[in-house]
mmCIF file of all heavy atoms in Angstrom:
data_model
loop_
_atom_site.group_PDB
_atom_site.id
_atom_site.type_symbol
_atom_site.label_atom_id
_atom_site.label_comp_id
_atom_site.label_asym_id
_atom_site.label_seq_id
_atom_site.Cartn_x
_atom_site.Cartn_y
_atom_site.Cartn_z
ATOM 1 N N GLN A 1492 15.548 53.970 -19.523
ATOM 2 C CA GLN A 1492 14.095 53.972 -19.730
ATOM 3 C C GLN A 1492 13.443 52.757 -19.042
ATOM 4 O O GLN A 1492 12.386 52.884 -18.424
ATOM 5 C CB GLN A 1492 13.740 53.944 -21.239
ATOM 6 C CG GLN A 1492 14.098 55.218 -21.971
ATOM 7 C CD GLN A 1492 15.506 55.145 -22.571
ATOM 8 O OE1 GLN A 1492 16.340 54.323 -22.181
ATOM 9 N NE2 GLN A 1492 15.772 56.025 -23.524
ATOM 10 N N MET A 1493 14.083 51.570 -19.164
ATOM 11 C CA MET A 1493 13.537 50.369 -18.531
ATOM 12 C C MET A 1493 13.623 50.481 -17.008
ATOM 13 O O MET A 1493 12.709 50.075 -16.295
ATOM 14 C CB MET A 1493 14.259 49.104 -19.010
ATOM 15 C CG MET A 1493 13.819 48.647 -20.392
ATOM 16 S SD MET A 1493 12.033 48.452 -20.610
ATOM 17 C CE MET A 1493 11.650 47.164 -19.462
ATOM 18 N N LYS A 1494 14.699 51.038 -16.509
ATOM 19 C CA LYS A 1494 14.821 51.225 -15.056
ATOM 20 C C LYS A 1494 13.740 52.173 -14.554
ATOM 21 O O LYS A 1494 13.208 51.991 -13.455
ATOM 22 C CB LYS A 1494 16.221 51.738 -14.707
ATOM 23 C CG LYS A 1494 17.280 50.659 -14.863
ATOM 24 C CD LYS A 1494 18.662 51.161 -14.524
ATOM 25 C CE LYS A 1494 19.686 50.043 -14.729
ATOM 26 N NZ LYS A 1494 21.045 50.451 -14.519
ATOM 27 N N ASP A 1495 13.377 53.123 -15.384
ATOM 28 C CA ASP A 1495 12.295 54.052 -15.044
ATOM 29 C C ASP A 1495 10.953 53.299 -15.000
ATOM 30 O O ASP A 1495 10.124 53.525 -14.116
ATOM 31 C CB ASP A 1495 12.243 55.187 -16.073
ATOM 32 C CG ASP A 1495 11.203 56.242 -15.718
ATOM 33 O OD1 ASP A 1495 11.148 56.635 -14.525
ATOM 34 O OD2 ASP A 1495 10.450 56.657 -16.610
ATOM 35 N N VAL A 1496 10.754 52.364 -15.958
ATOM 36 C CA VAL A 1496 9.536 51.545 -15.973
ATOM 37 C C VAL A 1496 9.474 50.688 -14.708
ATOM 38 O O VAL A 1496 8.429 50.604 -14.052
ATOM 39 C CB VAL A 1496 9.472 50.650 -17.240
ATOM 40 C CG1 VAL A 1496 8.354 49.613 -17.138
ATOM 41 C CG2 VAL A 1496 9.282 51.509 -18.487
ATOM 42 N N PHE A 1497 10.603 50.048 -14.326
ATOM 43 C CA PHE A 1497 10.640 49.226 -13.111
ATOM 44 C C PHE A 1497 10.264 50.060 -11.885
ATOM 45 O O PHE A 1497 9.500 49.624 -11.035
ATOM 46 C CB PHE A 1497 12.029 48.626 -12.888
ATOM 47 C CG PHE A 1497 12.487 47.665 -13.960
ATOM 48 C CD1 PHE A 1497 13.835 47.470 -14.180
ATOM 49 C CD2 PHE A 1497 11.579 46.958 -14.738
ATOM 50 C CE1 PHE A 1497 14.276 46.584 -15.155
ATOM 51 C CE2 PHE A 1497 12.007 46.084 -15.716
ATOM 52 C CZ PHE A 1497 13.362 45.892 -15.926
ATOM 53 N N ALA A 1498 10.817 51.245 -11.814
ATOM 54 C CA ALA A 1498 10.543 52.126 -10.672
ATOM 55 C C ALA A 1498 9.060 52.491 -10.614
ATOM 56 O O ALA A 1498 8.452 52.517 -9.534
ATOM 57 C CB ALA A 1498 11.409 53.383 -10.740
ATOM 58 N N LYS A 1499 8.477 52.757 -11.782
ATOM 59 C CA LYS A 1499 7.044 53.103 -11.828
ATOM 60 C C LYS A 1499 6.175 51.919 -11.415
ATOM 61 O O LYS A 1499 5.176 52.089 -10.721
ATOM 62 C CB LYS A 1499 6.668 53.604 -13.225
ATOM 63 C CG LYS A 1499 7.186 54.997 -13.501
ATOM 64 C CD LYS A 1499 6.829 55.487 -14.885
ATOM 65 C CE LYS A 1499 7.390 56.902 -15.076
ATOM 66 N NZ LYS A 1499 7.238 57.382 -16.440
ATOM 67 N N ILE A 1500 6.562 50.704 -11.840
ATOM 68 C CA ILE A 1500 5.817 49.503 -11.440
ATOM 69 C C ILE A 1500 5.875 49.348 -9.921
ATOM 70 O O ILE A 1500 4.858 49.098 -9.269
ATOM 71 C CB ILE A 1500 6.367 48.241 -12.147
ATOM 72 C CG1 ILE A 1500 6.068 48.283 -13.645
ATOM 73 C CG2 ILE A 1500 5.796 46.967 -11.516
ATOM 74 C CD1 ILE A 1500 6.766 47.188 -14.451
ATOM 75 N N GLN A 1501 7.069 49.519 -9.350
ATOM 76 C CA GLN A 1501 7.221 49.374 -7.892
ATOM 77 C C GLN A 1501 6.410 50.421 -7.128
ATOM 78 O O GLN A 1501 5.871 50.133 -6.069
ATOM 79 C CB GLN A 1501 8.698 49.450 -7.501
ATOM 80 C CG GLN A 1501 9.447 48.183 -7.877
ATOM 81 C CD GLN A 1501 10.930 48.273 -7.569
ATOM 82 O OE1 GLN A 1501 11.571 49.297 -7.782
ATOM 83 N NE2 GLN A 1501 11.481 47.176 -7.058
ATOM 84 N N ARG A 1502 6.325 51.620 -7.669
ATOM 85 C CA ARG A 1502 5.531 52.671 -6.995
ATOM 86 C C ARG A 1502 4.038 52.436 -7.167
ATOM 87 O O ARG A 1502 3.256 52.668 -6.245
ATOM 88 C CB ARG A 1502 5.900 54.054 -7.554
ATOM 89 C CG ARG A 1502 7.199 54.612 -7.000
ATOM 90 C CD ARG A 1502 7.335 56.108 -7.248
ATOM 91 N NE ARG A 1502 7.051 56.530 -8.602
ATOM 92 C CZ ARG A 1502 7.934 56.613 -9.597
ATOM 93 N NH1 ARG A 1502 9.197 56.303 -9.370
ATOM 94 N NH2 ARG A 1502 7.577 57.023 -10.793
ATOM 95 N N ALA A 1503 3.627 51.964 -8.360
ATOM 96 C CA ALA A 1503 2.201 51.817 -8.646
ATOM 97 C C ALA A 1503 1.595 50.541 -8.063
ATOM 98 O O ALA A 1503 0.423 50.530 -7.695
ATOM 99 C CB ALA A 1503 1.972 51.844 -10.158
ATOM 100 N N ALA A 1504 2.378 49.462 -7.945
ATOM 101 C CA ALA A 1504 1.834 48.167 -7.515
ATOM 102 C C ALA A 1504 1.103 48.212 -6.166
ATOM 103 O O ALA A 1504 0.008 47.675 -6.056
ATOM 104 C CB ALA A 1504 2.941 47.109 -7.494
ATOM 105 N N PRO A 1505 1.650 48.847 -5.130
ATOM 106 C CA PRO A 1505 0.944 48.831 -3.840
ATOM 107 C C PRO A 1505 -0.259 49.783 -3.756
ATOM 108 O O PRO A 1505 -1.033 49.722 -2.807
ATOM 109 C CB PRO A 1505 2.020 49.228 -2.834
ATOM 110 C CG PRO A 1505 3.067 49.934 -3.604
ATOM 111 C CD PRO A 1505 2.987 49.430 -5.009
#
Side-chain angles (χ1 to χ4, degrees):
Q1492 291 92 341
M1493 282 308 297
K1494 288 180 181 176
D1495 184 45
V1496 169
F1497 296 155
K1499 286 179 180 173
I1500 291 171
Q1501 286 177 319
R1502 282 196 312 270

